[in-house]
Amino acid sequence: MAAHLSYGRVNLNILREAARKELREFLDKCAGSKAIVWDEYLTGPFGLIAQYSLLKEHEVEKMFTLKAGRVPSADVKNIIFFVRPRLELMDIIAENVMSEDKLQPPREFHILFVPRRSLLCEQRLKEQGVLNSFTNIDEYILDLIPYDGDLLSMESESAFRECYLENDQTSLYHTAKGLMTLQALYGTIPQIFGKGECARHVANMMLRMKREFAGSQNQILPVFDTLLLLDRNVDLLTPLATQLTYEGLIDEIYGITNGYVKLPPEKFAQKKPGEGGKDLPTEPKKLQLNSAEELYAEIRDKNFNAVGAALSKKAKIISAAFEERHNAKTVGEIKQFVSQLPHMQAARNSLANHTSIAELIKDITTSEDFFENLTVEQEFMTGVDTDKVNTYIEDSIAQKDPLIKILRLVCMQSVCNNGLKQKVLDHYKREILQTYGYEHLLTLNNLEKVGLLKPQLTTRNNYPTIRKTLKLWMEDANEQNPNDISYVYSGYAPLSVRLTQLLARPGWRSIEEVLKMLPGPHFEERQQLPTGLHKKRQQGENRTTLVFFLGGVTYAEIAALRFLSQMEDGGTEYVIATTKLLNGTSWIKSLMDRPEAQIL
Amino acid sequence: MAFVTANWNPLGEAFYRKTELYEMGWNLKDGLRDCLLAAAPYGGPIGKHFWKKYTLCSTLPMSFFSPPFFSTTLYSKESHWKSGVVRQLGWTVCDDLLCIQEDGTVLIYDLFGSFKRHFSMGNEVGQSQVVEAKVFHSPYGTGVAIVTGASRFTLATNIDDLKLRRLPEVPGLQGAPTCWAVLTQDRQSKVLVANGGDLFILDYTACTAVNPPGLSPQASSIVHMCVSFSYKYLALFTDSGHVWMGSANLKEKLSEVETKVRNPPKQMAWCRRPKSRQPSVVIMWDRHLLVVGEGKDTISYHLEDDSILVPEMDGVRIINGTNHELLQEVPASCEEIFKIASMAPGALLLEAHKEYEVNVAYGINMLPQNYMDKSIGTAAHCLHPHHTEMSDRHQHISAASFGKCFLSNFPPELFVIMCRDLRVLNAVRDYTVGIPLTHTQFKQMTVQVLIDRLVYRKLYPLAIEICRYLKTPEYQGVSRVLKHWACCKVQQKEESDEVIARTISLKLGEAAGISYSEIATKAYECGRTELAIKLLEFEPRSGEQVPLLLKMKRSQLALSKAIESGDTDLVYTVVTYLKNEMNRGDFFMTLRNQPVALSLYRQFCKHQEQDTLKDLFNQDDDHQELGNFYVKASYKEKRLEARVAHLQSAVDEYNKAKNEFAAKTTEEEMRLLRFQKKLEEEKGESLVGFSLHDTLRTLLAVGLHKHAEQLYKDFKVPDKRFWWLKLTALAEKEDWEELEKFAKSKKSPIGYLPFVEVCVKHHNKYEAKKYVSRVTPEQKVKAHLAVGDMEGAADAAIERRNEGEISTILSRCSPTTDRALVERLNRAKSTAAKK
């Protein structure tokens, strides 16, 4: 069921199995039939660990969403709340428990805190007078969720906002804990590199936790050679740019949540001859996207311009495979053909789906608006006229294009210019406030706080230096047969990935100057391994590096890292971990503050 | 060697044997008469309470006899009983003694007779008095059940997490029931009560009458009952002298036997073992012990003295004034070896080994070849330590080791593990320790529990020896013992803090996984705060230090430790604690020095206490945040005046923060709101809350051009944006006349291409064409293409000799396009390219 997790360099299925085991153990603790009341936010991440069938096997008969009022009646012995440790949720739970029907046979209540139990929440339950109503109060440590064969995510939407805007380091604590769990399963990671304030904080916590657990030394041969912790705010530029890989574009346009995407259904209607188009489905088409699907694994990381060719090549192979049946003469041959049928049919369905998706995306990428937007982005990234008010942005505001699009562009300009001149900045801000409403003053303020928007304090703009030293712009990006990571943005090489690449070869010492220009400290730590666990590297064996993006990572960056893993002379394979998978839109959205205006 | 089977008695298919464990070392004049006595399972300690009939005398001597033999002086403690009348004694799972008093108070003592704590079984018990009480064990811990004079039962499933459950009334029950027992079924503790011939099951909610299937009709009353160690089986003794045995859920009857004794027994206990071959119950009267099985046969023993029965998982211990014995079913493996004329491999091997010791060759030959292959089982059999006699064990081990020599592929682990276990069992059975465990019990109980029990007896060196010998992981074994030792050490009042702290750190120094905070907690509980703080310094986990520091009122230190740990939840906890403990000013000052805590508290306030948030910003003179705060607050207001008032406060704050831009924009917002309100009242057009852009758009849409103009001037809307706005608004309204007028009003700051495009967007090519001529040359081609005029586009492009533009037009050409035009374009393209 989750075989694709075990194909990668590191078998991430071990982690998933450990998480499933723990879930089963907890469910069995509450003997008898049960209903789960979900904190809605958690259902997505949980879907990556366990399907409903697992819950059903452990006598989960009903599922509800956590809401104020009373838990719907269900003839079960146990009611289990699966919640994040949040005070506002505690109040709802208390209300649920107190309004329980006294006449019905008593149901036992349990709480499962994800990812960690909290004294503060328990205190709140105590104040509400319901703490004693719970038979079990437990925690389900779900920090890093295996997302794909080489990808782990904490699925924590607000991590960036909390860390960089609100100075709340809770998610960093969870990160450190998650990395400890990872090390318990995959061995101590001998080398830790990092860049940024948050990275430093996480590394400090990890080292501290290791000291605290001295004694319970694990005796596992390390799977990872290096851990690289990167703050998102070291590279604010990359997520702002429009991703141009297949997966990146799906995410930009339709949004991938917890590994699923919802698409407009029209293109997917099964056209049967003679039926006409009378029953067009209205429900969005939901598809799961991961490397379990062979075709998807092949094309996801390609530049979108190379996807068409790949699809048609695949189509030829599949139809050739179906043609094989004419060559099947003997019973044995026919039997063999038939045995391959399910696999072939799955491949054909997958091809049909992706052809439809590619068509949908193509409609958008060939539009003038998309082209103009991209042109402006690329101008900014190459440093053209970043110090002036941009006409395209002005016109877009005047036409009241989506606010997030505007914010992405303005922020990008600011980042590429190391801040905007006060006059330019104020002009943009005024335009935005007058067009979209004054309430966005708070959002703009937030963007300034995290450094996405800023007034230029010095006349020196160090972005060009960074761009040149790190070769962030490659004029001749080859989209079809890439030879550099810059293909993922058709020219722009993501800064974060460039840093990763340079760390592996020739090392950061060569770019000290640039590193100093980027925010936060850079550092290196070593963790002692118990004697006997030092890996003896085979000739030509690749190193494995875990790259942790604190504050989120885009699909295009992941694609770039996968590209590096596959480079023949790369010498390093990458596993990626992050607090959340994001794109410019979801990222900016998480930083917005929108007070709900009351109607006067 | 003693004749092994001498004390075996047959009963049905199995044999039973009674073997002596210890000779009792206590010196009692009256034996156990008039005593309350309780012994814990798994070879646990025995507690005794002299219960002389003169209750008026309030001081009763009490003594504990934990290792029930010679060295009573080692552990026993004679104490003068000053409290009330004790109804029942019992041991908890952690070897604490419970004394349940008549008034419902339960006193808890440790193994050394020192008082730990007490709790009550409910206030209502005070008047009605406890008539009978029972202590029971379940997966949830140790429980207590009582029945009062008012015939009501109260039950607590776990005394460490006390939740009293008053059970429903039993119909028709007056005074004490004839007999009762506690069962654990379906994760709930229930009481089974007999009132005369009626039997009831009491759970938390209901009292249900039940009938044991196939109970002999002669019986009119159930006079005694007992439940098996596992709570799976139940035995009832009736006034007709019958013993009914069945499953505890009363669904199945196993057997019924007539004992021919009619007077009620003193005690009854199940005598089973895992894989028992038959159900059997031991019944005890004053001087008579009877083992009853399935069939009619019984085994009868005479008792010398008053005794009590202690049920174990694999037998029954019998304790009296002089002896401590174990009665159990002989296990099958053992029976195979020792049964007369047994040909089982084990028996043969033992025999062969015996001969071998006399005559080597003969002994080896005695092992028939065809038994060799079975010898694996043989060796294992011989090793099965169901034999309590020490001498036997030796014999068996050497026999097994002898047998092992003939095997090439016998894995040695089994033999080694078994020898190790036996060595441990022998060590703890030694009279100075006094835990007589059988191997079955040991396996069930696990090493961890055994270590715990040694620790309760303060036998630290032995516990550490065993941990090392069994190679228990350090933090489960040695470290745990050391921690307990340290906890005990801190209670030694005669030594100074300095010395104790040093001794402890020296001894625990390199041990892994020691929780210094637990030791410190202990020290604090003993009133040694200074020592506790000293010990906490050794604790590497800063998170662990926090709760104790809070308890000791070292809250500032607690806060910095919490921050150090990185665990934000812990920081929150300390902050909430500080908030309640300090006055507001001090509290805020403390937070100011701890930025991490401050920002977390701000988060908390944002969601929970808006007003405090404001105070916090005020305190820090954070005017920018205060401004934001007022802006946010303004949106919560339903009335215009209130909203504007909040905005005004925001403006003031922004000014103080020197954020000119924010102040100006917020003023603008106020202005806009007032304007909108006014216009809304005048024109009835709903406007309030719209952005400036949307307000203008609405005004233009409904034709209030003058007002729109006014707004545009008042708010200094850039020309470009206003033109865009007006253009789209008019096009949407399809007011083409007005649009044309507007286009001619002055030179468009956005050019005329947008006019063309917007008209096309609203499907009016005719209007669009009007503006094409006014478009700048650079955009002409685009404009022509937008209205679909290929010729015009071609002309413009050729005129400009722009290769790119020509290509664009060519790409838009379709097969229906004029061929001449295409050719013209191609020609122009090649000339343009040449240049």
Side-chain angles (χ1 to χ4, degrees):
Chain A
M1 199 168 71
H4 62 286
L5 295 178
S6 43
Y7 295 153
R9 168 73 184 241
V10 174
N11 182 357
L12 296 181
N13 211 21
I14 298 175
L15 186 64
R16 185 171 183 267
E17 280 309 318
R20 285 165 69 90
K21 181 166 161 254
E22 212 182 313
L23 183 62
R24 283 196 290 262
E25 276 168 8
F26 173 77
L27 289 174
D28 288 341
K29 230 192 244 177
C30 323
S33 55
K34 37 202 153 270
I36 296 181
V37 182
W38 287 97
D39 170 355
E40 210 167 7
Y41 182 87
L42 290 175
T43 49
F46 259 83
L48 293 166
I49 296 296
Q51 263 74 39
Y52 184 47
S53 55
L54 180 138
L55 300 177
K56 222 167 172 179
E57 276 164 31
H58 293 266
E59 295 178 83
V60 175
E61 290 172 4
K62 288 265 168 51
M63 311 242 256
F64 306 112
T65 308
L66 184 63
K67 280 198 289 266
R70 169 185 294 192
V71 179
S73 63
D75 186 22
V76 289
K77 277 194 179 156
N78 302 285
I79 302 280
I80 313 177
F81 294 97
F82 277 40
V83 288
R84 285 166 297 157
R86 302 251 166 147
L87 288 177
E88 58 275 19
L89 298 178
M90 296 306 111
D91 294 347
I92 301 177
I93 290 179
E95 196 184 333
N96 279 182
V97 171
M98 282 189 294
S99 52
E100 176 78 352
D101 198 339
K102 298 284 183 299
L103 300 172
Q104 296 290 325
R107 305 190 283 190
E108 278 188 42
F109 289 104
H110 313 267
I111 295 188
L112 189 62
F113 281 116
V114 186
R116 211 148 266 114
R117 62 192 290 178
S118 134
L119 288 168
L120 191 70
C121 287
E122 283 171 47
Q123 184 65 32
R124 173 58 68 99
L125 290 173
K126 201 172 173 185
E127 281 162 23
Q128 300 267 20
V130 292
L131 188 64
N132 288 328
S133 316
F134 294 98
T135 320
N136 278 309
I137 295 183
D138 240 305
E139 62 184 4
Y140 183 62
I141 302 174
L142 189 67
D143 294 314
L144 283 167
I145 307 166
Y147 201 94
D148 212 324
D150 57 355
L151 180 57
L152 298 159
S153 169
M154 293 170 64
E155 290 303 274
S156 159
E157 203 128 30
S158 49
F160 184 84
R161 185 189 169 104
E162 284 168 10
C163 291
Y164 299 95
L165 183 62
E166 287 157 348
N167 201 15
D168 171 357
Q169 293 166 334
T170 307
S171 56
L172 298 182
Y173 178 69
H174 292 169
T175 304
K177 281 276 184 185
L179 283 167
M180 293 314 280
T181 313
L182 206 67
Q183 292 188 85
L185 291 170
Y186 297 98
T188 306
I189 306 176
Q191 257 185 327
I192 303 176
F193 290 93
K195 171 75 190 163
E197 293 291 346
C198 293
R200 182 69 262 183
H201 188 59
V202 169
N204 285 348
M205 276 192 282
M206 281 173 71
L207 297 174
R208 162 174 282 280
M209 285 172 191
K210 179 147 190 282
R211 271 206 304 284
E212 292 180 356
F213 291 104
S216 47
Q217 272 287 7
N218 75 37
Q219 295 295 324
I220 302 168
L221 202 67
V223 175
F224 297 104
D225 300 289
T226 310
L227 166 67
L228 170 60
L229 294 161
L230 279 179
D231 272 33
R232 182 74 272 176
N233 81 341
V234 169
D235 174 14
L236 291 171
L237 175 57
T238 305
L240 292 170
T242 305
Q243 309 171 63
L244 295 175
T245 59
Y246 180 53
E247 191 170 37
L249 275 168
I250 297 179
D251 188 39
E252 292 278 346
I253 298 168
Y254 299 105
I256 302 175
T257 33
N258 306 125
Y260 286 89
V261 66
K262 282 183 185 166
L263 296 161
E266 298 80 24
K267 286 255 182 192
F268 298 91
Q270 291 282 334
K271 285 190 199 96
K272 279 180 197 151
E275 247 182 66
K278 56 180 180 183
D279 288 326
L280 276 179
T282 46
E283 283 277 295
K285 168 111 179 158
K286 200 173 171 189
L287 278 179
Q288 190 174 17
L289 299 175
N290 59 38
S291 57
E293 193 182 342
E294 201 184 306
L295 174 64
Y296 187 64
E298 223 171 277
I299 58 172
R300 67 197 303 183
D301 300 321
K302 286 194 187 309
N303 185 295
F304 185 67
N305 286 335
V307 167
L311 284 175
S312 64
K313 197 172 121 203
K314 190 77 182 178
K316 273 181 206 136
I317 293 170
I318 290 175
S319 53
F322 273 98
E323 284 310 307
E324 281 286 303
R325 81 190 135 179
H326 300 302
N327 301 336
K329 294 272 173 358
T330 67
V331 178
E333 281 167 0
I334 293 171
K335 205 172 160 191
Q336 205 199 343
F337 177 79
V338 170
S339 72
Q340 284 171 351
L341 262 181
H343 177 73
M344 284 160 60
Q345 265 152 359
R348 192 159 63 174
N349 282 342
S350 153
L351 180 69
N353 279 340
H354 288 291
T355 313
S356 306
I357 298 174
E359 280 169 19
L360 283 169
I361 292 176
K362 193 151 192 224
D363 288 346
I364 290 165
T365 52
T366 49
S367 72
E368 193 147 324
D369 202 44
F370 185 87
F371 179 74
E372 281 177 43
N373 188 60
L374 199 63
T375 311
V376 173
E377 279 184 13
Q378 301 200 338
E379 277 171 16
F380 287 159
M381 287 191 286
T382 46
V384 177
D385 286 344
T386 47
D387 53 345
K388 294 188 202 122
V389 172
N390 183 287
T391 332
Y392 177 72
I393 297 181
E394 266 190 322
D395 288 353
S396 299
I397 295 174
Q399 292 171 80
K400 209 179 175 189
D401 280 356
L403 174 62
I404 291 183
K405 169 187 163 179
I406 310 293
L407 294 175
R408 271 177 85 160
L409 285 172
V410 174
C411 290
M412 194 172 198
Q413 188 178 353
S414 165
V415 172
C416 291
N417 199 48
N418 194 21
L420 295 170
K421 279 188 202 142
Q422 192 71 50
K423 227 177 76 193
V424 177
L425 181 61
D426 284 355
H427 176 73
Y428 279 139
K429 276 162 71 177
R430 228 169 85 85
E431 292 282 284
I432 290 169
L433 293 175
Q434 288 196 345
T435 307
Y436 299 91
Y438 293 103
E439 67 267 31
H440 296 294
L441 185 66
L442 300 172
T443 301
L444 291 174
N445 187 38
N446 287 349
L447 294 176
E448 284 184 60
K449 259 196 210 163
V450 300
L452 276 167
L453 269 186
K454 57 180 179 188
Q456 201 173 37
L457 297 175
T458 56
T459 44
R460 241 186 84 77
N461 174 11
N462 56 21
Y463 174 73
T465 322
I466 298 173
R467 187 183 69 227
K468 277 170 209 148
T469 323
L470 299 183
K471 297 201 184 72
L472 296 187
W473 185 261
M474 304 295 277
E475 212 40 76
D476 43 359
N478 186 339
E479 293 168 349
Q480 303 292 334
N481 294 302
N483 50 13
D484 181 71
I485 55 168
S486 56
Y487 84 93
V488 297
Y489 287 99
S490 295
Y492 167 70
L495 196 162
S496 56
V497 183
R498 204 53 114 198
L499 286 181
T500 313
Q501 189 182 11
L502 288 168
L503 175 68
R505 197 178 293 170
W508 275 359
R509 208 154 293 160
S510 59
I511 49 164
E512 282 281 338
E513 286 307 309
V514 172
L515 282 175
K516 272 184 201 145
M517 289 178 194
L518 297 169
H522 59 279
F523 58 89
E524 178 186 351
E525 297 283 351
R526 280 176 192 277
Q527 299 201 90
Q528 273 307 310
L529 288 180
T531 41
L533 290 186
H534 291 282
K535 213 164 159 182
K536 281 169 201 75
R537 198 173 305 283
Q538 303 291 319
Q539 186 70 41
E541 192 191 334
N542 283 345
R543 301 171 60 83
T544 308
T545 297
L546 176 67
V547 189
F548 205 121
F549 288 87
L550 300 163
V553 69
T554 65
Y555 286 99
E557 287 172 293
I558 294 169
L561 284 170
R562 284 188 184 138
F563 171 79
L564 290 181
S565 293
Q566 283 156 13
M567 285 226 298
E568 263 167 33
D569 54 347
T572 308
E573 286 190 45
Y574 295 96
V575 174
I576 302 125
T578 184
T579 48
K580 175 77 191 164
L581 291 149
L582 49 75
N583 58 48
T585 305
S586 62
W587 189 36
I588 297 286
K589 209 181 217 164
S590 77
L591 291 169
M592 289 175 72
D593 252 329
R594 285 210 73 169
E596 283 293 311
Q598 299 286 328
I599 294 156
L600 289 176
Chain B
M1 181 189 145
F3 191 46
V4 179
T5 52
N7 58 354
W8 288 18
N9 290 301
L11 180 73
E13 290 191 348
F15 289 90
Y16 285 79
R17 66 174 175 210
K18 197 165 75 149
T19 45
E20 186 168 42
L21 295 170
Y22 300 109
E23 201 173 308
M24 297 305 269
W26 51 26
N27 216 347
L28 300 168
K29 275 192 207 104
D30 297 327
L32 294 177
R33 196 185 301 269
D34 301 330
C35 279
L36 279 177
L37 195 99
Y42 295 108
I46 303 168
K48 191 156 72 71
H49 185 127
F50 289 88
W51 166 227
K52 305 268 178 187
K53 290 253 158 60
Y54 36 87
T55 35
L56 285 176
C57 172
S58 65
T59 51
L60 295 168
M62 182 172 89
S63 51
F64 292 82
F65 289 81
S66 20
F69 32 86
F70 309 110
S71 56
T72 44
T73 44
L74 192 65
Y75 290 121
S76 76
K77 177 166 177 173
E78 291 274 337
S79 67
H80 289 276
W81 193 248
K82 297 188 189 73
S83 201
V85 179
V86 175
R87 273 279 173 238
Q88 181 73 37
L89 294 180
W91 292 93
T92 70
V93 281
C94 6
D95 284 354
D96 286 331
L97 185 71
L98 299 178
C99 300
I100 305 164
Q101 297 195 133
E102 207 170 49
D103 61 357
T105 315
V106 181
L107 306 160
I108 306 179
Y109 293 85
D110 72 8
L111 259 178
F112 298 86
S114 40
F115 177 74
K116 282 178 89 170
R117 63 186 179 97
H118 73 92
F119 64 89
S120 165
M121 291 298 288
N123 296 332
E124 68 279 2
V125 185
Q127 289 97 43
S128 50
Q129 307 265 305
V130 177
V131 181
E132 241 185 301
K134 286 189 201 299
V135 175
F136 60 94
H137 304 279
S138 71
Y140 307 106
T142 303
V144 172
I146 56 159
V147 56
T148 64
S151 315
R152 290 299 293 268
F153 286 90
T154 304
L155 195 135
T157 321
N158 180 6
I159 56 157
D160 292 322
D161 175 22
L162 196 66
K163 276 180 199 152
L164 292 178
R165 304 267 194 178
R166 199 149 180 242
L167 304 186
E169 233 167 304
V170 180
L173 179 63
Q174 300 281 324
T178 27
C179 58
W180 57 288
V182 184
L183 320 162
T184 298
Q185 275 175 354
D186 307 331
R187 305 185 305 124
Q188 208 192 59
S189 295
K190 299 173 181 177
V191 172
L192 189 67
V193 196
N195 183 23
D198 302 324
L199 202 57
F200 301 96
I201 282 191
L202 276 174
D203 60 20
Y204 296 164
T205 46
C207 173
T208 327
V210 282
N211 273 318
L215 184 64
S216 152
Q218 288 124 293
S220 62
S221 172
I222 296 163
V223 294
H224 207 99
M225 63 170 82
C226 73
V227 182
S228 72
F229 199 77
S230 59
Y231 293 110
K232 273 195 202 131
Y233 302 99
L234 172 73
L236 303 170
F237 191 88
T238 63
D239 58 349
S240 58
H242 285 85
V243 181
W244 181 93
M245 287 178 248
S247 61
N249 55 17
L250 292 161
K251 291 218 172 96
E252 196 191 337
K253 173 181 168 178
L254 295 169
S255 76
E256 194 169 29
V257 178
E258 200 188 338
T259 60
K260 304 204 179 67
V261 187
R262 298 214 164 200
N263 45 333
K266 243 177 79 184
Q267 209 186 345
M268 215 160 80
W270 279 88
C271 180
R272 291 182 53 83
R273 62 177 314 125
K275 295 192 199 130
S276 262
R277 272 163 295 172
Q278 64 174 338
S280 57
V281 170
V282 181
I283 310 166
M284 183 180 73
W285 288 272
D286 272 346
R287 287 281 188 272
H288 183 204
L289 193 72
L290 199 65
V291 186
V292 182
E294 246 168 344
K296 284 213 167 95
D297 299 337
T298 54
I299 308 170
S300 176
Y301 293 100
H302 176 71
L303 294 174
E304 300 282 326
D305 198 355
D306 287 308
S307 305
I308 67 148
L309 303 178
V310 185
E312 294 277 3
M313 65 176 292
D314 58 350
V316 175
R317 280 197 288 155
I318 305 163
I319 297 163
N320 64 28
T322 50
N323 272 314
H324 187 169
E325 294 170 312
L326 177 68
L327 174 66
Q328 62 171 179
E329 185 188 316
V330 177
S333 59
C334 200
E335 193 184 311
E336 259 178 20
I337 295 173
F338 292 109
K339 214 160 62 179
I340 294 161
S342 167
M343 294 295 278
L348 294 176
L349 178 62
L350 199 64
E351 212 45 47
H353 177 246
K354 247 188 255 170
E355 289 301 329
Y356 167 81
E357 285 182 330
V358 185
N359 178 331
V360 177
Y362 185 58
I364 293 172
N365 286 338
M366 245 191 88
L367 278 179
Q369 207 54 46
N370 57 337
Y371 277 116
M372 281 298 220
D373 51 345
K374 287 194 187 166
S375 299
I376 292 180
T378 312
H381 262 162
C382 263
L383 272 170
H384 226 283
H386 289 304
H387 324 286
T388 36
E389 283 88 354
M390 294 278 282
S391 55
D392 275 5
R393 285 183 181 170
H394 275 294
Q395 193 112 39
H396 291 188
I397 290 173
S398 42
S401 142
F402 167 70
K404 203 161 68 73
C405 298
F406 298 94
L407 296 169
S408 48
N409 57 349
F410 178 74
E413 290 84 6
L414 197 63
F415 182 75
V416 173
I417 292 171
M418 192 58 84
C419 286
R420 224 189 257 154
D421 286 353
L422 286 178
R423 196 162 165 211
V424 170
L425 288 182
N426 284 340
V428 298
R429 201 187 153 201
D430 187 272
Y431 71 90
T432 54
V433 183
I435 304 179
L437 279 179
T438 64
H439 190 258
T440 323
Q441 289 168 14
F442 174 60
K443 280 293 166 201
Q444 174 75 24
M445 179 167 112
T446 72
V447 186
Q448 267 74 25
V449 179
L450 180 65
I451 301 296
D452 276 339
R453 293 181 59 177
L454 291 174
V455 163
Y456 298 141
R457 285 165 175 74
K458 301 193 181 171
L459 296 168
Y460 305 114
L462 178 63
I464 289 180
E465 268 327 302
I466 290 180
C467 290
R468 290 203 175 126
Y469 181 64
L470 293 180
K471 300 200 170 66
T472 322
E474 227 182 33
Y475 57 98
Q476 277 174 17
V478 177
S479 298
R480 211 156 47 101
V481 179
L482 282 174
K483 187 201 80 189
H484 281 286
W485 166 80
C487 285
C488 175
K489 186 85 188 162
V490 297
Q491 297 174 54
Q492 292 175 354
K493 297 227 162 48
E494 61 277 9
E495 289 188 59
S496 76
D497 293 348
E498 206 56 60
V499 174
I500 292 182
R502 200 164 350 106
T503 325
I504 289 178
S505 78
L506 271 181
K507 197 148 228 147
L508 273 55
E510 66 276 35
I514 292 270
S515 165
Y516 279 94
S517 57
E518 263 179 70
I519 305 167
T521 310
K522 193 80 202 173
Y524 173 69
E525 278 167 10
C526 307
R528 306 182 76 160
T529 313
E530 285 312 310
L531 177 58
I533 292 171
K534 275 201 176 74
L535 287 170
L536 267 187
E537 279 164 20
F538 296 115
E539 173 65 63
R541 285 166 292 179
S542 36
E544 296 287 309
Q545 307 175 11
V546 173
L548 181 60
L549 285 170
L550 280 184
K551 232 192 265 173
M552 298 193 297
K553 307 249 179 266
R554 297 290 197 282
S555 33
Q556 303 272 1
L557 192 56
L559 184 59
S560 42
K561 289 289 177 190
I563 291 169
E564 211 173 273
S565 76
D567 183 349
T568 44
D569 183 57
L570 211 52
V571 179
Y572 270 132
T573 310
V574 181
V575 168
T576 0
Y577 184 89
L578 290 175
K579 191 177 127 201
N580 297 331
E581 195 197 40
M582 296 172 148
N583 68 45
R584 220 171 156 88
D586 291 349
F587 174 58
F588 282 1
M589 274 315 285
T590 311
L591 286 185
R592 254 180 107 159
N593 299 328
Q594 298 282 8
V596 177
L598 180 61
S599 44
L600 283 177
Y601 185 61
R602 269 195 202 139
Q603 280 296 99
F604 172 83
C605 291
K606 209 188 248 170
H607 297 293
Q608 304 286 329
E609 293 173 19
Q610 287 280 334
D611 289 340
T612 319
L613 189 62
K614 197 169 91 186
D615 295 347
L616 270 175
F617 292 142
N618 257 324
Q619 143 110 8
D620 292 347
D621 292 327
D622 191 339
H623 299 294
Q624 172 68 31
E625 283 300 333
L626 273 171
N628 292 346
F629 176 84
Y630 284 119
V631 168
K632 241 177 257 178
S634 78
Y635 286 95
K636 292 210 183 82
E637 293 295 342
K638 284 203 169 70
R639 288 178 316 112
L640 183 78
E641 294 72 33
R643 190 182 278 192
V644 171
H646 273 303
L647 289 174
Q648 184 56 54
S649 316
V651 171
D652 297 345
E653 295 298 339
Y654 284 138
N655 276 328
K656 278 185 213 159
K658 301 212 165 49
N659 187 342
E660 219 174 293
F661 176 82
K664 246 171 71 188
T665 346
T666 312
E667 269 169 5
E668 229 179 74
E669 183 178 6
M670 287 158 61
R671 232 163 0 117
L672 180 65
L673 277 172
R674 290 209 188 92
F675 179 88
Q676 287 171 332
K677 188 78 186 172
K678 197 170 133 242
L679 214 61
E680 211 173 271
E681 277 159 11
E682 283 171 17
K683 307 284 177 192
E685 212 39 69
S686 145
L687 289 171
V688 174
F690 280 12
S691 71
L692 180 61
H693 179 100
D694 292 342
T695 313
L696 279 166
R697 198 187 175 99
T698 316
L699 293 177
L700 291 169
V702 297
L704 292 168
H705 293 287
K706 259 212 191 118
H707 291 94
E709 263 331 288
Q710 189 200 335
L711 260 190
Y712 150 67
K713 277 180 196 138
D714 282 1
F715 284 85
K716 298 198 185 91
V717 176
D719 283 354
K720 276 165 113 181
R721 196 148 55 79
F722 184 69
W723 274 70
W724 264 110
L725 233 168
K726 193 155 177 182
L727 163 65
T728 36
L730 292 174
E732 228 158 69
K733 228 176 108 190
E734 304 192 342
D735 191 347
W736 307 117
E737 207 174 310
E738 184 71 32
L739 184 64
E740 205 172 339
K741 235 170 36 192
F742 174 54
K744 284 175 184 158
S745 63
K746 63 176 178 183
K747 191 172 177 284
S748 158
I750 53 172
Y752 293 90
L753 185 62
F755 281 79
V756 178
E757 283 175 342
V758 169
C759 290
V760 171
K761 202 168 142 205
H762 288 90
H763 314 290
N764 195 334
K765 276 194 186 165
Y766 173 76
E767 286 296 329
K769 280 180 186 156
K770 286 184 183 168
Y771 304 104
V772 172
S773 59
R774 304 184 65 177
V775 171
T776 55
E778 293 84 37
Q779 293 176 325
K780 265 242 161 87
V781 177
K782 238 180 173 179
H784 280 293
L785 282 178
V787 295
D789 175 9
M790 298 300 276
E791 294 271 353
D795 290 341
I798 291 166
E799 191 178 323
R800 278 165 50 74
R801 293 177 192 166
N802 184 315
E803 192 192 349
E805 283 175 5
I806 297 172
S807 306
T808 320
I809 303 168
L810 275 170
S811 73
R812 294 276 288 273
C813 287
S814 64
T816 52
T817 333
D818 187 9
R819 296 215 60 69
L821 180 71
V822 176
E823 266 167 41
R824 197 150 68 88
L825 280 168
N826 277 329
R827 243 179 293 127
K829 192 180 170 187
S830 55
T831 42
K834 267 179 214 152
K835 276 201 164 178

